[in-house]
Amino acid sequence: MNEQRNGRAVSALWESTVPKYPCLLHGADYYPEQWLGHPDILKRDVELMREAGINCVSLGIFAWSSLEPEEGVYTFDWMTEAVDRLYGAGIRVILATPSGARPAWLAEKYPEVLRVSDSLARAAFGGRHNHCYTSPVYREKVRQIDQRLAARFGGHPGVILWHISNEFGGECFCPLCRAAFREWLKRKYGSLEKLNEQWYTSFWSHRYTKWEQIDPPLRNGETRLHALNLDWKRFVTDQTLDFYRREAETVKSAAPDVPVTTNMIGPKSNLNYHKFRDSVDVVAWDSYPLWHRGAEEDIREAQKTAFAHDTMRSIKRKPFLLMESTPSTANWMEVSKLKRPGMHMLSSLQAAAHGSNSVQYFQWRQSRGACEKFHSAVVDHSGRSDTMIFRDVREVGKRLEALDKAGLSRTEVRPEAALLFDWENRWALRDAQGPRRSGIHYDETVLSFHRAFWELGVPVDVPDMESGLTGYKLIAAPMLYLCRAGIQDKLKDFVRAGGTLLGTYWSGVVNENDLCFLGDTPGGITELFGIRREGIDALYDGQYNRLLIDGKACPPLKREYRIAELCELDCCEGASVLAGYGDDFYRGRPALTVHSYGKGRAYYLAARTEYAFLRDFIALLIKRAGVRKSLDAQLPDGVTAERRTGPEKDFIFVQNFNAFPAKVALNASFRDAENGVAYEKTLPLSGYEVKILEEDHPG
Ligand code: GAL
């Protein structure tokens, strides 16, 4: 049976994404170029990979100087041998383009490839991830090597996916980038007049009379025009994307059947990853949570990681790849604490629970020198397989293999709830001066909304303002400060058609170029929420107000919650008041309202409350909107559940992020997807355990 979703058959989803090898991937970044003088080690690597249940590796990520030691001299034989040797052992290859780090000869001969900082200082040779994205020389040199790699390896049966560069990011202020920025602005605005108007340059006499006068936000230059700052960040994403696309086109032109991806770094990136939506065949990202700082910290870290997985999955609303994770510690962590027994399995399967069809590591074999020599690896300096880390990895491999056989790769996470998080909104909110320069806390707010879904075990997508919003019953949209991409109309359509929306304070403030809406606000959505903003009060740290629920008790809501940081003063224009402020000169004014709009309801939270309110209120909305939980059960603290839906059956990952055992009281009986054990009333979990339940579809 093939279930349809957005016109795609679910069971065919992964088969069409990675057609050459559509199974769950278990692999690692592999650097044979570091061991070319040790043929015994290279041979042993393949044996050890099989022992660890590794079925694919990422190859060539930083191998440029081994592939082209001198300009125009290509030495691909070692890579051919590696790909053949791996394929012969049944191990597939994700082949990287080497543009993430350049050889010394390239930097020496063409200094324009080196990045320039916002103080206009050009970098010297060294490091990685620091090339100019505009430089025609760099682009051309990358094209030449990519094209050769694609011609040589694109048709190899073992090469299943292209890995473009490595962790794109950062910015360059060189003359080439600055000129490209001006061209980008000309395309966007058409005329200086329009730009001056949208950037509000009449302020402080900042009017531009020539395009050449415009510079990006340089450290000692113009940083106070918020629209300029925003456009620069947009340009940096676009320019990076353009660089990526050229690489993707180059490899695809030689090997059209091999899909492309690039490894992203999650929501913390300076790039707006949603812009990559149509240019990657599959989203891939590198996840490095910091475990074991404390019991409560582990739970927060788990939820933060879940948010990151949800955000990355939502870029394409499809399964994604965990491209890198550490087998245990990372050298760059302040304190490199070993993963406690169970944590490696739990954090690996957490990614799978949220829609990853892979668990990949940085790195296969620990490097012998340079700055990553103490980063953990599947194989450490001892070269042995009877180590703690190797055993942990092998266990993950075994479990993934069994889950693959059980059909996990043909399932996907399909949330009925969404939490809006928008990169451009984040940029604008962080830049804005007021109403709380000491901390506007957009990211923290979005995370605390996400926490409520995570604790309740409700799958949630994290779309941005440009994403489609179809298929959801409930959307939470905190702090929609900057409104773009027609988000107001999309939200109106959503509610009109019967959806439940939760909006908050400090929404509908500026347009896409950071110009304040004139007239009533929240701009474009006053009629949706049935309220009008009169002002916003900011509180110092340590100052509080109270949110008092009106009328009769409505479990699980309590009568009163604490408010901190931001209190918006709204007037009702059609909305009904559900809660009011308890203190200060605005005591009694609305703090929470609801407005019927079309067939749906739009709730507006005027103040930043303590987390307990979000937890209780979101629980209520989930119930009212009929949003399905992953598991119909009350989940203990630190335990969550996530569901992957397939054509015949669903998998429910129940994860315990506590170091101690937990018990989940079940409302129905379930079968363990891995060993068939039946759980009637209680599901016991040991510390850091993840159990996977299965549920057949009725009929
Ligand atoms: C990643 C990077 C890898 C490696 C790893 C170490 O960000 O892509 O090459 O450096 O970090 O944790």
Side-chain angles (χ1 to χ4, degrees):
M1 185 180 85
N2 276 352
E3 195 169 319
Q4 294 290 314
R5 185 197 174 204
N6 299 339
R8 295 193 313 266
V10 171
S11 66
L13 204 100
W14 197 242
E15 279 90 335
S16 62
T17 308
V18 189
K20 277 197 196 171
Y21 199 55
C23 56
L24 296 181
L25 304 178
H26 184 224
D29 286 5
Y30 182 39
Y31 301 99
E33 67 274 21
Q34 293 179 17
W35 305 97
L36 292 180
H38 301 261
D40 51 322
I41 288 185
L42 295 176
K43 189 166 158 277
R44 182 85 182 114
D45 275 340
V46 174
E47 292 160 11
L48 287 171
M49 282 176 195
R50 287 175 63 95
E51 197 180 328
I54 294 290
N55 61 13
C56 83
V57 295
S58 302
L59 198 70
I61 297 175
F62 300 116
W64 198 336
S65 68
S66 304
L67 293 166
E68 190 183 359
E70 286 172 48
E71 188 169 14
V73 176
Y74 296 97
T75 46
F76 287 4
D77 288 352
W78 65 269
M79 188 177 257
T80 307
E81 277 167 35
V83 176
D84 288 344
R85 191 169 45 240
L86 291 160
Y87 186 61
I91 299 160
R92 305 302 198 277
V93 167
I94 297 175
L95 196 60
T97 63
S99 61
R102 74 198 143 248
W105 60 256
L106 185 56
E108 184 192 25
K109 184 160 175 200
Y110 308 104
E112 74 164 53
V113 307
L114 299 164
R115 203 172 273 185
V116 169
S117 75
D118 63 355
S119 312
L120 297 182
R122 193 176 288 277
F125 172 70
R128 59 170 179 176
H129 300 160
N130 53 7
H131 58 269
C132 168
Y133 292 123
T134 305
S135 158
V137 170
Y138 198 65
R139 286 177 172 223
E140 177 54 18
K141 291 289 152 198
V142 168
R143 191 196 62 76
Q144 287 169 2
I145 191 156
D146 285 1
Q147 202 237 323
R148 281 178 171 77
L149 279 173
R152 177 86 162 245
F153 298 104
H156 195 290
V159 174
I160 59 166
L161 181 67
W162 288 108
H163 177 298
I164 304 294
S165 203
N166 194 70
E167 295 189 343
F168 283 114
E171 48 193 2
C172 172
F173 295 81
C174 76
L176 294 165
C177 285
R178 282 146 67 199
F181 179 46
R182 290 177 201 121
E183 291 307 311
W184 185 95
L185 293 170
K186 282 182 198 163
R187 285 195 299 279
K188 175 168 178 182
Y189 294 105
S191 69
L192 266 184
E193 204 183 334
K194 184 87 192 296
L195 175 140
N196 278 312
E197 173 205 307
Q198 288 297 306
W199 283 13
Y200 210 65
T201 56
S202 49
F203 180 76
W204 287 356
S205 259
H206 285 198
R207 201 168 179 79
Y208 296 101
T209 51
K210 283 192 201 150
W211 292 101
E212 294 68 36
Q213 293 163 354
I214 303 176
D215 257 327
L218 296 172
R219 185 164 290 230
N220 61 350
E222 179 60 271
T223 57
R224 302 301 181 91
L225 289 178
H226 290 164
L228 183 163
N229 297 347
L230 262 177
D231 275 342
W232 170 250
K233 291 189 172 73
R234 289 174 176 138
F235 162 79
V236 169
T237 289
D238 282 1
Q239 197 70 351
T240 311
L241 179 58
D242 188 61
F243 185 95
Y244 160 85
R245 275 202 198 120
R246 278 165 190 256
E247 287 211 71
E249 278 159 22
T250 305
V251 294
K252 278 228 161 177
S253 63
D257 299 337
V258 181
V260 282
T261 191
T262 184
N263 54 334
M264 303 178 176
I265 60 167
K268 67 178 181 210
S269 174
N270 71 312
L271 303 175
N272 176 2
Y273 283 145
H274 284 276
K275 297 282 183 188
F276 284 68
R277 183 178 298 134
D278 299 326
S279 304
V280 290
D281 292 309
V282 54
V283 167
W285 87 283
D286 304 342
S287 172
Y288 289 93
L290 300 169
W291 299 119
H292 309 309
R293 277 171 297 167
E296 184 55 31
E297 285 87 342
D298 269 353
I299 296 172
R300 292 282 60 75
E301 193 69 4
Q303 182 246 315
K304 200 170 151 198
T305 307
F307 170 75
H309 287 313
D310 289 340
T311 305
M312 302 314 285
R313 183 194 63 241
S314 302
I315 293 171
K316 282 185 92 73
R317 271 177 105 174
K318 273 187 183 179
F320 63 94
L321 294 173
L322 174 64
M323 191 57 95
E324 286 181 27
S325 61
T326 176
S328 189
T329 63
N331 61 301
W332 49 260
M333 291 173 179
E334 293 296 326
V335 175
S336 297
K337 195 152 185 176
L338 292 172
K339 280 183 183 167
R340 272 35 198 168
M343 185 48 97
H344 182 59
M345 179 67 78
L346 177 59
S347 59
S348 298
L349 291 187
Q350 181 191 29
H354 286 265
S356 174
N357 273 354
S358 72
V359 174
Q360 311 267 118
Y361 311 113
F362 176 87
Q363 51 189 333
W364 166 251
R365 187 180 276 277
Q366 205 166 29
S367 49
R368 196 164 178 202
C371 67
E372 288 184 332
K373 60 183 175 295
F374 299 132
H375 196 292
S376 68
V378 183
V379 179
D380 66 19
H381 296 138
S382 76
R384 304 180 67 100
S385 60
D386 54 352
T387 64
M388 214 163 47
I389 292 178
F390 194 96
R391 275 194 293 272
D392 272 358
V393 166
R394 187 169 51 208
E395 287 312 305
V396 170
K398 278 192 198 148
R399 237 171 137 178
L400 287 179
E401 201 183 327
L403 287 168
D404 188 58
K405 288 203 180 99
L408 186 68
S409 68
R410 294 192 297 279
T411 65
E412 60 178 344
V413 181
R414 206 183 300 170
E416 294 178 340
L419 169 61
L420 222 98
F421 166 70
D422 190 271
W423 251 272
E424 297 192 13
N425 187 36
R426 168 205 264 170
W427 295 337
L429 271 162
R430 281 188 185 164
D431 209 19
Q433 305 192 5
R436 221 177 170 274
R437 275 189 80 193
S438 68
I440 197 71
H441 297 151
Y442 175 57
D443 285 31
E444 292 81 350
T445 302
V446 174
L447 266 180
S448 61
F449 272 69
H450 182 270
R451 177 176 171 187
F453 291 98
W454 188 81
E455 287 184 356
L456 293 160
V458 174
V460 63
D461 271 346
V462 186
D464 78 339
M465 293 189 199
E466 284 177 48
S467 308
L469 299 179
T470 51
Y472 302 121
K473 292 180 176 167
L474 169 66
I475 297 179
M479 299 178 80
L480 292 181
Y481 166 76
L482 175 146
C483 291
R484 63 186 189 93
I487 189 63
Q488 298 105 316
D489 288 339
K490 281 195 222 169
L491 292 176
K492 281 187 206 159
D493 290 346
F494 167 73
V495 180
R496 205 181 285 120
T500 301
L501 173 67
L502 172 58
T504 76
Y505 55 90
W506 216 221
S507 286
V509 183
V510 298
N511 72 6
E512 68 159 287
N513 288 327
D514 213 60
L515 285 174
C516 291
F517 289 119
L518 298 179
D520 290 347
T521 56
I525 36 180
T526 45
E527 68 168 282
L528 169 61
F529 288 108
I531 53 125
R532 175 170 57 78
R533 177 165 47 238
E534 198 187 341
I536 187 160
D537 189 25
L539 307 185
Y540 284 95
D541 287 349
Q543 294 184 335
Y544 302 101
N545 203 313
R546 286 176 303 146
L547 178 136
L548 304 179
I549 303 287
D550 275 9
K552 55 181 184 343
C554 186
L557 287 187
K558 295 196 273 296
R559 305 291 322 182
E560 175 176 334
Y561 295 92
R562 195 148 89 163
I563 286 172
E565 297 191 349
L566 291 167
C567 304
E568 190 172 284
L569 307 190
D570 296 327
C571 307
C572 282
E573 306 220 320
S576 315
V577 178
L578 299 177
Y581 286 105
D583 303 302
D584 218 320
F585 74 93
Y586 38 91
R587 178 169 169 228
R589 287 189 69 154
L592 175 70
T593 56
V594 61
H595 187 228
S596 295
Y597 186 81
K599 293 191 204 146
R601 289 169 149 230
Y603 294 84
Y604 195 84
L605 176 61
R608 180 169 288 161
T609 62
E610 61 179 307
Y611 167 68
F613 172 76
L614 295 180
R615 181 194 59 209
D616 296 347
F617 192 59
I618 289 175
L620 190 70
L621 294 185
I622 281 167
K623 206 161 151 199
R624 284 193 182 157
V627 172
R628 193 175 185 208
K629 291 183 173 183
S630 293
L631 185 67
D632 182 18
Q634 183 83 29
L635 298 167
D637 282 354
V639 175
T640 190
E642 189 75 14
R643 177 184 288 256
R644 287 185 63 155
T645 300
E648 286 98 27
K649 61 179 174 187
D650 290 6
F651 294 87
I652 306 160
F653 291 69
V654 191
Q655 310 144 60
N656 179 17
F657 285 94
N658 298 298
F660 49 82
K663 275 194 183 128
V664 181
L666 299 171
N667 293 327
S669 57
F670 283 95
R671 201 171 54 243
D672 192 303
E674 294 168 291
N675 57 22
V677 170
Y679 300 103
E680 296 295 336
K681 293 208 162 57
T682 316
L683 178 71
L685 295 161
S686 45
Y688 299 139
E689 192 187 9
V690 50
K691 279 203 168 94
I692 305 170
L693 309 176
E694 62 182 17
E695 191 177 74
D696 294 332
H697 289 183

Coordinates of all heavy atoms in Angstrom, one line a residue, residues 644-699:
R644 N 7.3 8.1 13.8 CA 7.5 8.0 12.3 C 6.4 7.2 11.7 O 6.2 6.1 12.1 CB 8.9 7.5 12.0 CG 10.0 8.5 12.4 CD 11.4 8.0 11.9 NE 11.5 7.8 10.5 CZ 12.7 7.9 9.8 NH1 13.8 8.1 10.5 NH2 12.8 7.7 8.5
T645 N 5.8 7.8 10.7 CA 4.7 7.1 10.1 C 5.0 6.5 8.8 O 5.8 7.1 8.0 CB 3.6 8.2 9.8 OG1 3.2 8.8 11.1 CG2 2.3 7.6 9.2
G646 N 4.6 5.3 8.5 CA 4.8 4.6 7.3 C 3.6 4.1 6.6 O 2.5 4.3 7.2
P647 N 3.7 3.5 5.5 CA 2.5 3.0 4.8 C 1.8 1.9 5.5 O 0.6 1.9 5.5 CB 3.1 2.5 3.4 CG 4.5 2.6 3.5 CD 5.0 3.3 4.8
E648 N 2.5 1.0 6.2 CA 1.8 -0.1 6.9 C 1.8 0.1 8.4 O 0.8 -0.2 9.0 CB 2.5 -1.4 6.6 CG 2.2 -1.9 5.2 CD 3.4 -1.6 4.2 OE1 4.5 -1.5 4.8 OE2 3.2 -1.5 3.0
K649 N 2.9 0.7 8.9 CA 2.9 0.8 10.3 C 3.8 2.0 10.8 O 4.5 2.6 10.0 CB 3.5 -0.4 11.0 CG 4.9 -0.8 10.6 CD 5.4 -2.0 11.2 CE 6.8 -2.4 10.7 NZ 7.3 -3.6 11.1
D650 N 3.6 2.4 12.0 CA 4.3 3.5 12.6 C 5.3 3.0 13.6 O 5.1 2.0 14.2 CB 3.4 4.5 13.3 CG 2.5 5.2 12.4 OD1 2.5 4.9 11.2 OD2 1.7 6.1 12.9
F651 N 6.4 3.8 13.8 CA 7.4 3.5 14.8 C 7.4 4.6 15.8 O 7.4 5.8 15.4 CB 8.8 3.4 14.2 CG 9.0 2.3 13.2 CD1 8.7 2.4 11.9 CD2 9.5 1.0 13.7 CE1 8.8 1.4 11.0 CE2 9.7 0.0 12.8 CZ 9.3 0.1 11.5
I652 N 7.3 4.3 17.1 CA 7.3 5.3 18.1 C 8.5 5.2 19.0 O 8.7 4.1 19.6 CB 6.0 5.2 19.0 CG1 4.7 5.2 18.1 CG2 5.9 6.3 20.0 CD1 3.5 4.6 18.8
F653 N 9.4 6.2 18.9 CA 10.6 6.2 19.7 C 10.4 6.8 21.1 O 10.1 8.0 21.2 CB 11.7 7.0 19.0 CG 12.2 6.4 17.7 CD1 11.3 6.4 16.6 CD2 13.5 6.0 17.6 CE1 11.8 5.8 15.3 CE2 14.0 5.5 16.4 CZ 13.1 5.4 15.3
V654 N 10.5 6.0 22.1 CA 10.3 6.5 23.5 C 11.7 6.6 24.1 O 12.4 5.6 24.2 CB 9.4 5.6 24.3 CG1 9.0 6.3 25.6 CG2 8.1 5.2 23.5
Q655 N 12.0 7.9 24.4 CA 13.4 8.2 24.8 C 13.5 8.7 26.2 O 12.8 9.6 26.6 CB 14.0 9.2 23.8 CG 13.8 8.9 22.3 CD 13.5 10.2 21.5 OE1 14.4 11.1 21.5 NE2 12.4 10.3 20.9
N656 N 14.4 8.1 27.0 CA 14.6 8.5 28.4 C 15.9 9.2 28.5 O 17.0 8.6 28.5 CB 14.6 7.3 29.3 CG 14.8 7.7 30.7 OD1 14.6 8.8 31.1 ND2 15.1 6.7 31.6
F657 N 15.9 10.5 28.6 CA 17.1 11.3 28.8 C 17.6 11.4 30.2 O 18.5 12.2 30.5 CB 17.0 12.7 28.1 CG 17.0 12.6 26.6 CD1 15.9 12.5 25.8 CD2 18.2 12.5 25.9 CE1 15.9 12.3 24.5 CE2 18.3 12.3 24.5 CZ 17.1 12.3 23.8
N658 N 17.0 10.7 31.1 CA 17.5 10.7 32.5 C 18.5 9.6 32.6 O 18.4 8.5 31.9 CB 16.3 10.3 33.4 CG 15.2 11.4 33.4 OD1 15.5 12.5 33.7 ND2 14.0 11.0 32.9
A659 N 19.4 9.8 33.6 CA 20.4 8.7 33.8 C 19.8 7.5 34.6 O 20.4 6.5 34.7 CB 21.6 9.3 34.6
F660 N 18.6 7.8 35.1 CA 18.0 6.7 35.9 C 16.7 6.2 35.2 O 16.2 6.8 34.3 CB 17.6 7.4 37.3 CG 16.9 8.7 37.2 CD1 15.5 8.7 36.9 CD2 17.6 9.9 37.3 CE1 14.8 9.9 36.8 CE2 16.9 11.1 37.1 CZ 15.5 11.1 36.9
P661 N 16.2 5.0 35.7 CA 15.1 4.4 35.0 C 13.8 5.2 35.1 O 13.7 6.1 36.0 CB 14.9 3.1 35.8 CG 16.1 2.9 36.5 CD 16.7 4.2 36.8
A662 N 12.9 5.0 34.2 CA 11.6 5.7 34.2 C 10.5 4.7 33.7 O 10.9 3.7 33.1 CB 11.7 6.9 33.2
K663 N 9.3 5.0 34.1 CA 8.2 4.2 33.7 C 7.2 5.0 33.0 O 6.8 6.1 33.5 CB 7.6 3.5 34.9 CG 8.3 2.3 35.3 CD 7.4 1.5 36.3 CE 8.1 0.3 36.8 NZ 8.2 0.1 38.2
V664 N 6.7 4.5 31.8 CA 5.6 5.3 31.2 C 4.3 4.5 31.3 O 4.3 3.3 30.9 CB 5.9 5.5 29.7 CG1 4.8 6.3 29.0 CG2 7.3 6.1 29.5
A665 N 3.3 5.1 31.9 CA 2.0 4.4 32.0 C 1.3 4.5 30.6 O 1.1 5.6 30.1 CB 1.2 5.1 33.1
L666 N 1.0 3.4 30.1 CA 0.4 3.4 28.7 C -1.2 3.3 28.8 O -1.7 2.7 29.7 CB 0.9 2.1 28.0 CG 2.4 2.0 27.7 CD1 2.7 0.6 27.2 CD2 2.9 3.1 26.8
N667 N -1.8 3.9 27.8 CA -3.3 3.8 27.7 C -3.7 2.7 26.8 O -4.9 2.5 26.6 CB -3.9 5.2 27.3 CG -3.6 6.2 28.3 OD1 -3.6 5.9 29.5 ND2 -3.4 7.5 27.9
A668 N -2.8 2.1 26.1 CA -3.1 1.0 25.2 C -1.9 0.1 25.2 O -0.8 0.4 25.7 CB -3.3 1.6 23.8
S669 N -2.1 -1.1 24.7 CA -0.9 -2.0 24.6 C -0.1 -1.8 23.3 O -0.7 -1.5 22.3 CB -1.4 -3.5 24.8 OG -2.3 -3.8 23.8
F670 N 1.2 -2.1 23.5 CA 2.1 -1.8 22.3 C 3.0 -3.0 22.2 O 3.3 -3.7 23.2 CB 2.9 -0.6 22.5 CG 2.1 0.7 22.2 CD1 1.5 1.3 23.3 CD2 2.0 1.2 21.0 CE1 0.8 2.5 23.0 CE2 1.3 2.3 20.7 CZ 0.7 3.0 21.8
R671 N 3.6 -3.2 20.9 CA 4.6 -4.2 20.7 C 5.9 -3.5 20.4 O 6.0 -2.5 19.7 CB 4.1 -4.9 19.4 CG 4.7 -6.3 19.2 CD 4.0 -7.0 18.1 NE 4.1 -6.3 16.8 CZ 3.0 -5.8 16.2 NH1 1.8 -6.0 16.6 NH2 3.1 -5.1 15.1
D672 N 7.0 -4.1 21.0 CA 8.3 -3.6 20.7 C 8.7 -3.9 19.3 O 8.6 -5.1 18.9 CB 9.3 -4.3 21.7 CG 10.6 -3.6 21.7 OD1 11.2 -3.5 20.6 OD2 11.1 -3.1 22.8
A673 N 9.1 -2.9 18.5 CA 9.3 -3.1 17.1 C 10.6 -4.0 16.9 O 10.7 -4.5 15.8 CB 9.6 -1.7 16.4
E674 N 11.4 -4.1 17.9 CA 12.7 -4.8 17.7 C 12.7 -6.2 18.2 O 13.3 -7.1 17.6 CB 13.8 -4.0 18.3 CG 14.0 -2.7 17.6 CD 14.9 -1.7 18.4 OE1 14.5 -1.3 19.4 OE2 16.1 -1.5 17.9
N675 N 11.9 -6.5 19.3 CA 12.0 -7.9 19.8 C 10.6 -8.4 20.0 O 10.5 -9.5 20.5 CB 12.8 -7.9 21.1 CG 12.2 -7.0 22.1 OD1 11.0 -6.6 22.1 ND2 13.0 -6.6 23.1
G676 N 9.6 -7.7 19.6 CA 8.2 -8.2 19.7 C 7.6 -8.3 21.1 O 6.4 -8.7 21.2
V677 N 8.3 -7.9 22.1 CA 7.8 -7.9 23.5 C 6.5 -7.0 23.5 O 6.5 -5.9 23.0 CB 8.8 -7.4 24.5 CG1 8.2 -7.2 25.9 CG2 10.0 -8.4 24.5
A678 N 5.5 -7.5 24.2 CA 4.3 -6.7 24.4 C 4.3 -5.9 25.7 O 4.7 -6.5 26.7 CB 3.1 -7.6 24.3
Y679 N 3.9 -4.7 25.6 CA 3.8 -3.9 26.8 C 2.3 -3.5 27.0 O 1.7 -2.9 26.1 CB 4.6 -2.6 26.7 CG 6.1 -2.9 26.5 CD1 6.7 -2.7 25.2 CD2 6.9 -3.3 27.6 CE1 8.0 -3.0 25.0 CE2 8.2 -3.6 27.4 CZ 8.8 -3.5 26.1 OH 10.1 -3.7 25.9
E680 N 1.8 -4.0 28.1 CA 0.3 -3.8 28.3 C 0.0 -2.4 29.0 O -0.6 -1.6 28.4 CB -0.2 -4.9 29.2 CG -0.1 -6.3 28.6 CD -0.9 -6.5 27.4 OE1 -1.9 -5.8 27.2 OE2 -0.6 -7.3 26.5
K681 N 0.5 -2.3 30.2 CA 0.1 -1.1 30.9 C 1.3 -0.1 31.2 O 1.1 1.1 31.3 CB -0.5 -1.5 32.3 CG -1.8 -2.2 32.2 CD -2.6 -2.0 33.5 CE -4.1 -2.3 33.3 NZ -4.3 -3.7 32.8
T682 N 2.4 -0.7 31.2 CA 3.6 0.1 31.6 C 4.7 -0.2 30.6 O 5.0 -1.3 30.2 CB 4.1 -0.3 33.0 OG1 3.0 -0.4 33.9 CG2 5.1 0.7 33.5
L683 N 5.4 0.9 30.3 CA 6.6 0.7 29.5 C 7.8 1.1 30.4 O 8.0 2.3 30.7 CB 6.6 1.6 28.3 CG 7.8 1.6 27.4 CD1 7.9 0.3 26.6 CD2 7.8 2.8 26.4
P684 N 8.7 0.1 30.8 CA 9.8 0.5 31.6 C 11.0 0.9 30.8 O 11.3 0.3 29.7 CB 10.1 -0.9 32.3 CG 9.5 -1.9 31.4 CD 8.6 -1.3 30.5
L685 N 11.7 1.9 31.2 CA 12.9 2.3 30.4 C 14.1 2.4 31.4 O 13.9 3.0 32.5 CB 12.7 3.7 29.8 CG 11.6 3.8 28.7 CD1 11.2 5.3 28.6 CD2 12.2 3.3 27.4
S686 N 15.2 1.9 31.1 CA 16.3 2.1 32.0 C 17.0 3.5 31.7 O 16.5 4.2 30.7 CB 17.4 1.0 31.9 OG 17.6 0.7 30.5
G687 N 18.0 3.9 32.4 CA 18.6 5.2 32.2 C 19.1 5.3 30.8 O 19.7 4.4 30.3
Y688 N 18.9 6.4 30.2 CA 19.3 6.7 28.8 C 18.9 5.6 27.8 O 19.5 5.4 26.8 CB 20.9 6.8 28.7 CG 21.5 7.9 29.5 CD1 22.7 7.6 30.2 CD2 20.9 9.2 29.6 CE1 23.3 8.6 30.9 CE2 21.5 10.1 30.3 CZ 22.7 9.9 31.0 OH 23.3 10.9 31.7
E689 N 17.7 5.0 28.1 CA 17.3 4.0 27.1 C 16.3 4.5 26.1 O 15.5 5.5 26.4 CB 16.6 2.8 27.9 CG 16.4 1.6 26.9 CD 15.6 0.5 27.5 OE1 15.0 0.6 28.5 OE2 15.6 -0.6 26.8
V690 N 16.3 4.0 24.9 CA 15.3 4.3 23.9 C 14.7 3.0 23.5 O 15.4 2.1 23.1 CB 15.9 5.1 22.7 CG1 17.1 4.5 22.1 CG2 14.8 5.3 21.6
K691 N 13.3 2.9 23.6 CA 12.6 1.7 23.1 C 11.8 2.2 21.9 O 11.3 3.3 21.8 CB 11.7 1.2 24.2 CG 12.4 0.3 25.2 CD 11.4 -0.6 25.9 CE 12.1 -1.7 26.7 NZ 12.3 -1.4 28.1
I692 N 11.7 1.3 20.9 CA 10.9 1.6 19.7 C 9.7 0.7 19.6 O 9.9 -0.5 19.6 CB 11.8 1.5 18.5 CG1 13.1 2.4 18.7 CG2 11.1 2.0 17.2 CD1 14.2 2.2 17.7
L693 N 8.6 1.3 19.7 CA 7.3 0.6 19.6 C 6.8 0.6 18.2 O 7.1 1.6 17.5 CB 6.3 1.2 20.6 CG 6.8 1.4 22.0 CD1 5.7 2.1 22.8 CD2 7.1 0.1 22.7
E694 N 6.0 -0.4 17.9 CA 5.4 -0.3 16.5 C 3.8 -0.3 16.7 O 3.3 -0.9 17.6 CB 5.9 -1.3 15.6 CG 5.6 -2.8 16.0 CD 6.2 -3.7 15.0 OE1 7.1 -3.4 14.2 OE2 5.8 -4.9 15.0
E695 N 3.2 0.3 15.7 CA 1.7 0.4 15.7 C 1.3 0.1 14.3 O 1.6 0.9 13.4 CB 1.3 1.7 16.2 CG -0.2 1.8 16.5 CD -0.6 3.2 17.1 OE1 -0.6 4.1 16.3 OE2 -0.8 3.3 18.3
D696 N 0.5 -1.0 14.1 CA 0.0 -1.2 12.8 C -1.1 -0.2 12.5 O -1.8 0.2 13.4 CB -0.6 -2.6 12.7 CG 0.5 -3.7 12.9 OD1 1.7 -3.3 12.5 OD2 0.3 -4.8 13.4
H697 N -1.3 0.1 11.2 CA -2.4 0.9 10.8 C -3.7 0.1 10.8 O -3.6 -1.1 10.3 CB -2.2 1.5 9.4 CG -1.1 2.6 9.4 ND1 -0.8 3.3 8.3 CD2 -0.3 3.0 10.4 CE1 0.2 4.1 8.6 NE2 0.5 3.9 9.9
P698 N -4.7 0.6 11.3 CA -6.0 -0.2 11.3 C -6.3 -0.6 9.9 O -6.2 0.3 9.0 CB -7.0 0.7 11.9 CG -6.4 2.0 12.2 CD -4.9 1.9 11.9
G699 N -6.8 -1.8 9.7 CA -7.2 -2.2 8.3 C -6.0 -2.6 7.5 O -6.1 -2.8 6.3

